[in-house]
Amino acid sequence: MNQEEKCKGQTLRVHRAKWVVPVSSAPIPDGAVATFGGRIVEVGAAGELSLRFHGPCVDHGDSILCPGLVNAHSHLELSPLKYRLHPTGSFTDWIRALLEGRNRIEPQELDQAVKQAMDEMDSGGIVAIGDVGNTDLVPEIASKNEQLPIQGIFFYEIICQKPDPKEMVNDWLSFTERASRSFNFAVSAHAPYTVSPEAIKVIKSVSRLRKRPFSVHVSESIDETELLTQKNGPLKKLLEERGHWPLPYDLPGISSISYLSSLNVLDSDTICVHCIHLNNEDMEAMAASQATACLCPRSNIFLGVGIPPAERLFAMGIPIAIGTDSLASNDRLSIFAEMASLVSMAPGLKPEAVFRAATHGGARALGVQGDFGTLSRGKAAEFIAVNASGVKDNEIYDFLVSGCGGLDLDCCWIKDDQ
Ligand SMILES: [Zn+2]
């Protein structure tokens, strides 16, 4: 880098801090990140980088420089439901309350609640999201506001019990052609019990064709397992109430993961959200397919649906991402809080593995790892500085994952767009 390149309107900067946590390699004490033209050009020891790169040095003091966090599963359009739904311990009852609650959302509340939720994620150090919605609300907000603080993938969530969904395919394809500065658009299947097997296969085919991730809620409740394996239980009653029973196709009589595996929709671009009620075979299928398990621990605790077998999922080499789910089943949209909950429910987890899931794991799952997820050459010059005064060298990951007992850490953004 030289002054000539600076003259083209782009500035080389060196960001120095007490620690740099690249995620792709070990933490660097007294580290630095050099940026130029909106990209990271080097990561290393501050002394070495200041000799190699001659540009303004920004000293972040006792901070940790690390990648922005990725919220791999949210539902921004449900944000007005914050504090309006109360868990009863029954997943199906919560779905009933959610369906009623959605109908009571006033149109004028939506915009403000969604923007507030986006701001909450931005101030909590979240750089990218995988947001799921059943309406055009979030895409419309995204197209009207070019400079949204959050970017990522917007999944149009499909609920379709039609045994033959041919007439829907063009709609689903055209949805994935939409574009905004903030989001790429994708399609997702709500759950194995609300989407017919043919529709699940078609949604996955559209995702493969468009090279988009495919997301589906999986094994979230015992009610789901009971419906799929025994064709009975509270969800059957709900489907009856809503006039969807009998279903126009056969339920599989096997677990959700076995079912999705039999439909050939599990691969490294599939995000299985929740993954609580898994048997050994399910976990083996996930490990073999390298489908991502997206864990949303605080939503699971709120709903009382159980907790995911996190230690086994990590140990088996299943790719892990972390999500908040929506404000209808969570009081916060904080990946710092999700990490703290995850390590408190699974104390055997290594904090560095949890932090990797919250950064690289989410970026990989959403297909945005070219820009985010690690601090390394070529990634976007968009990362966070977390205030870590008083933190000891051997406690960096513990601090990042559970340092404030689930409260957000004090972090600020570094966004060098030139
Ligand atoms: Zn969800």
Side-chain angles (χ1 to χ4, degrees):
M1 286 309 151
N2 55 37
Q3 291 302 313
E4 201 181 312
E5 279 165 303
K6 185 178 171 183
C7 291
K8 291 174 190 165
Q10 298 182 320
T11 305
L12 178 97
R13 288 186 186 84
V14 177
H15 294 273
R16 182 257 149 214
K18 192 169 179 187
W19 294 280
V20 171
V21 174
V23 174
S24 47
S25 56
I28 305 165
D30 194 15
V33 180
T35 69
F36 181 78
R39 295 277 141 187
I40 293 172
V41 292
E42 193 56 282
V43 180
E48 191 197 322
L49 262 63
S50 61
L51 290 175
R52 284 176 56 199
F53 297 98
H54 303 286
C57 181
V58 187
D59 193 338
H60 298 274
D62 281 352
S63 294
I64 300 168
L65 300 184
C66 61
L69 307 172
V70 177
N71 185 353
H73 184 72
S74 63
H75 300 257
L76 279 167
E77 69 183 23
L78 298 179
S79 299
L81 295 178
K82 186 176 183 181
Y83 300 135
R84 290 192 194 171
L85 303 187
H86 305 287
T88 62
S90 158
F91 176 73
T92 303
D93 282 347
W94 176 79
I95 297 253
R96 273 192 194 91
L98 176 67
L99 292 168
E100 280 169 31
R102 284 184 78 124
N103 292 336
R104 285 201 294 268
I105 295 174
E106 300 292 338
Q108 64 272 21
E109 320 178 84
L110 273 164
D111 247 49
Q112 202 201 346
V114 170
K115 283 180 193 156
Q116 217 170 346
M118 282 184 179
D119 283 341
E120 180 187 351
M121 289 204 261
D122 184 57
S123 57
I126 292 172
V127 72
I129 63 173
D131 193 58
V132 178
N134 306 103
T135 71
D136 274 344
L137 177 80
V138 170
E140 273 169 16
I141 292 176
S143 59
K144 274 189 261 164
N145 298 272
E146 286 291 283
Q147 296 290 347
L148 286 179
I150 299 287
Q151 55 216 315
I153 303 286
F154 179 79
F155 294 96
Y156 185 71
E157 182 177 71
I158 292 156
I159 293 174
C160 173
Q161 301 283 26
K162 289 184 181 164
D164 182 2
K166 259 195 230 80
E167 73 267 30
M168 309 301 296
V169 176
N170 282 339
D171 286 354
W172 299 345
L173 276 169
S174 65
F175 185 83
T176 61
E177 286 162 5
R178 294 169 77 158
S180 78
R181 199 167 172 274
S182 305
F183 289 112
N184 276 328
F185 291 86
V187 281
S188 67
H190 169 253
Y193 53 89
T194 51
V195 186
S196 70
E198 275 313 305
I200 290 174
K201 286 200 271 186
V202 171
I203 297 163
K204 180 63 185 177
S205 302
V206 169
S207 310
R208 283 187 173 125
L209 185 71
R210 300 297 195 212
K211 297 189 170 28
R212 296 280 193 263
F214 164 78
S215 173
V216 55
H217 295 95
V218 180
S219 303
E220 185 177 3
S221 67
I222 208 75
D223 297 359
E224 172 183 336
T225 308
E226 193 177 356
L227 183 71
L228 259 73
T229 58
Q230 296 163 41
K231 309 174 190 186
N232 214 334
L235 278 171
K236 177 188 166 195
K237 194 161 181 295
L238 179 63
L239 289 166
E240 278 171 347
E241 282 165 24
R242 299 184 67 82
H244 297 307
W245 195 270
L247 292 168
Y249 55 87
D250 272 343
L251 282 166
I254 52 178
S255 75
S256 295
I257 290 287
S258 295
Y259 177 43
L260 294 173
S261 181
S262 74
L263 299 177
N264 191 30
V265 300
L266 294 183
D267 62 28
S268 59
D269 295 319
T270 293
I271 305 171
C272 297
V273 181
H274 294 302
C275 294
I276 297 170
H277 302 280
L278 303 181
N279 59 36
N280 284 339
E281 257 176 42
D282 294 338
M283 287 187 264
E284 277 160 18
M286 291 198 67
S289 66
Q290 286 293 286
T292 295
C294 177
L295 309 181
C296 307
R298 296 185 85 247
S299 167
N300 304 153
I301 293 165
F302 177 95
L303 293 176
V305 288
I307 57 172
E311 287 171 13
R312 286 208 62 200
L313 294 170
F314 274 85
M316 289 179 75
I318 294 164
I320 310 289
I322 299 178
T324 58
D325 219 323
S326 77
L327 288 173
S329 62
N330 204 335
D331 60 344
R332 308 189 53 203
L333 300 175
S334 164
I335 293 298
F336 281 122
E338 297 297 334
M339 286 193 287
S341 288
L342 193 55
V343 292
S344 67
M345 66 169 62
L349 292 180
K350 289 197 169 110
E352 53 267 47
V354 173
F355 194 67
R356 186 178 166 79
T359 50
H360 174 72
R364 175 200 164 279
L366 296 177
V368 296
Q369 71 273 39
D371 288 331
F372 308 118
T374 64
L375 297 183
S376 40
R377 245 179 270 159
K379 302 272 170 114
E382 221 172 309
F383 47 96
I384 54 176
V386 180
N387 183 350
S389 307
V391 177
K392 294 182 188 135
D393 285 4
N394 60 353
E395 293 174 344
I396 299 169
Y397 278 119
D398 280 318
F399 174 71
L400 286 172
V401 165
S402 53
C404 281
L407 297 174
D408 279 351
L409 300 183
D410 172 12
C411 70
C412 66
W413 279 104
I414 295 146
K415 295 187 183 185
D416 288 346
D417 52 7
Q418 293 191 329

